[in-house]
């Protein structure tokens, strides 16, 4: 089914094992619009042509189902699906959401128990939250960008993940409940970005640029390591996150300035 323009106050139920595809071109979805995929083995797809703003809800909750989100470029190069305002996306209950293309998250995505989010595209977050709950999985070969005041949270008992994470602006936060379950690389980690080890108590952290390893210790014993790119070799800033974990931040980088004085001594 193809749609365009602005639509709201409607629910589309995708519950068949026969492939069902919704194609949106230049469409704005209002806050009361909902797409539900819940039938056993349901095969659903949302194909986006050009820039599409989505203020509603997407529920990929089909046991043994799949939900494919694909974005395609149009004239002018627009190629983005934006989850905006109070929009919500939830994947759980045995369903798998597969992203191909660009996804701009400005709201909240939750991967619940039994859900799998496969990122084979680019997720760009600004003022947004992406949470992988216990029993949820974040996988894929794509890029995950944590932007201004945004977060990615891999909660306790979420599946082991190797998704590469890239900080793109200040105020970004990567939350890891179980650092040993995360084998990806965190790049562009700079002052103003935070790594929150939510269940790890630590009092020191050091970074070795030669190995790309951030080592976190408590009373002299290493309690966690994370593969990181970005800061200079040396000690990181460490403090409590105010709950039960530890915040790690790169210190300010000092730049040496050379002055040349011309004239007689």
């Amino acid at each position: 089914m193809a749609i365009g323009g602005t639509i709201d106050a409607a629910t589309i139920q995708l519950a068949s094992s026969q492939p069902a595809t919704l194609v949106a071109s230049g469409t704005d979805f209002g806050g009361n619009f909902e797409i539900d995929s819940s039938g056993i083995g349901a095969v659903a797809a949302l194909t986006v042509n050009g820039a599409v703003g989505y203020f509603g809800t997407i529920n990929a909750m089909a046991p043994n189902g799949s939900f494919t989100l694909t974005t395609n470029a149009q004239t002018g190069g627009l190629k983005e699906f934006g989850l905006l305002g109070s929009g919500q996306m939830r994947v759980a209950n045995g369903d798998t959401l597969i992203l191909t293309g660009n996804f701009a998250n400005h709201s909240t995505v939750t991967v619940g128990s039994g859900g799998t989010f496969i990122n084979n595209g680019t997720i760009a977050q600004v003022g947004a939250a992406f949470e992988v709950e216990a029993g949820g999985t974040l996988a894929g070969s794509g890029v995950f960008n944590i932007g201004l005041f945004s977060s990615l949270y891999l909660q306790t008992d979420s599946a082991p993940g190797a998704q590469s994470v890239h900080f793109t602006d200040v105020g970004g936060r990567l939350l890891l409940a179980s650092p040993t379950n995360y084998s990806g690389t965190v790049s562009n980690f700079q002052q103003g970005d935070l790594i929150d080890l939510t269940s790890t108590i630590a009092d020191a952290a050091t970074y070795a640029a030669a190995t790309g390893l951030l080592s976190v210790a408590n009373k002299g014993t290493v309690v966690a390591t994370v593969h990181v790119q970005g800061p200079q070799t040396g000690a990181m800033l460490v403090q409590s996150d105010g709950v039960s974990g530890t915040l790690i931040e790169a210190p300010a980088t000092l730049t040496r300035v050379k002055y040349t004085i011309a004239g007689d001594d």
Side-chain angles (χ1 to χ4, degrees):
M1 181 174 69
I3 54 177
T6 300
I7 57 175
D8 199 359
T11 298
I12 294 179
Q13 190 77 37
L14 304 174
S16 173
S17 58
Q18 298 299 315
T21 300
L22 179 65
V23 180
S25 302
T27 307
D28 284 327
F29 295 88
N32 295 313
F33 188 84
E34 188 170 314
I35 298 175
D36 286 329
S37 178
S38 58
I40 296 176
V43 179
L46 172 60
T47 298
V48 173
N49 297 317
V52 168
Y54 196 96
F55 293 83
T57 301
I58 294 177
N59 291 314
M61 308 282 282
N64 299 316
S66 67
F67 191 113
T68 302
L69 173 59
T70 304
T71 62
N72 299 310
Q74 282 189 318
T75 303
L78 294 174
K79 185 181 178 183
E80 185 173 274
F81 172 82
L83 187 65
L84 307 173
S86 58
Q88 302 284 323
M89 181 184 293
R90 184 169 178 82
V91 186
N93 201 34
D95 209 340
T96 297
L97 190 147
I98 304 166
L99 170 68
T100 302
N102 291 353
F103 170 36
N105 182 23
H106 297 271
S107 191
T108 303
V109 176
T110 304
V111 183
S113 179
T116 299
F117 192 113
I118 298 178
N119 174 25
N120 289 333
T122 298
I123 299 174
Q125 296 211 134
V126 176
F130 193 112
E131 298 189 359
V132 184
E133 299 177 340
T137 300
L138 173 62
S141 58
V143 178
F144 197 111
N145 293 326
I146 301 178
L148 185 67
F149 302 120
S150 295
S151 64
L152 168 61
Y153 187 6
L154 304 182
Q155 296 185 14
T156 302
D157 295 327
S158 61
Q163 178 80 85
S164 295
V165 173
H166 183 78
F167 283 104
T168 60
D169 210 334
V170 298
R173 182 178 293 205
L174 171 63
L175 301 96
L176 301 174
S178 302
T180 55
N181 274 351
Y182 179 69
S183 59
T185 298
V186 181
S187 60
N188 200 38
F189 180 55
Q190 304 288 343
Q191 184 188 22
D193 304 321
L194 295 170
I195 296 176
D196 187 350
L197 307 183
T198 62
S199 301
T200 302
I201 302 299
D203 56 18
T206 57
Y207 176 68
T211 60
L213 200 63
L214 173 67
S215 299
V216 184
N218 189 47
K219 298 180 180 179
T221 300
V222 174
V223 293
T225 57
V226 182
H227 293 279
V228 173
Q229 297 173 355
Q232 295 181 348
T233 293
M236 300 290 105
L237 303 178
V238 174
Q239 63 178 313
S240 169
D241 66 2
V243 188
S244 58
T246 301
L247 288 178
I248 302 167
E249 182 180 2
T253 301
L254 298 179
T255 302
R256 178 176 294 175
V257 180
K258 180 179 180 181
Y259 295 95
T260 300
I261 302 175
D264 296 335
D265 291 336

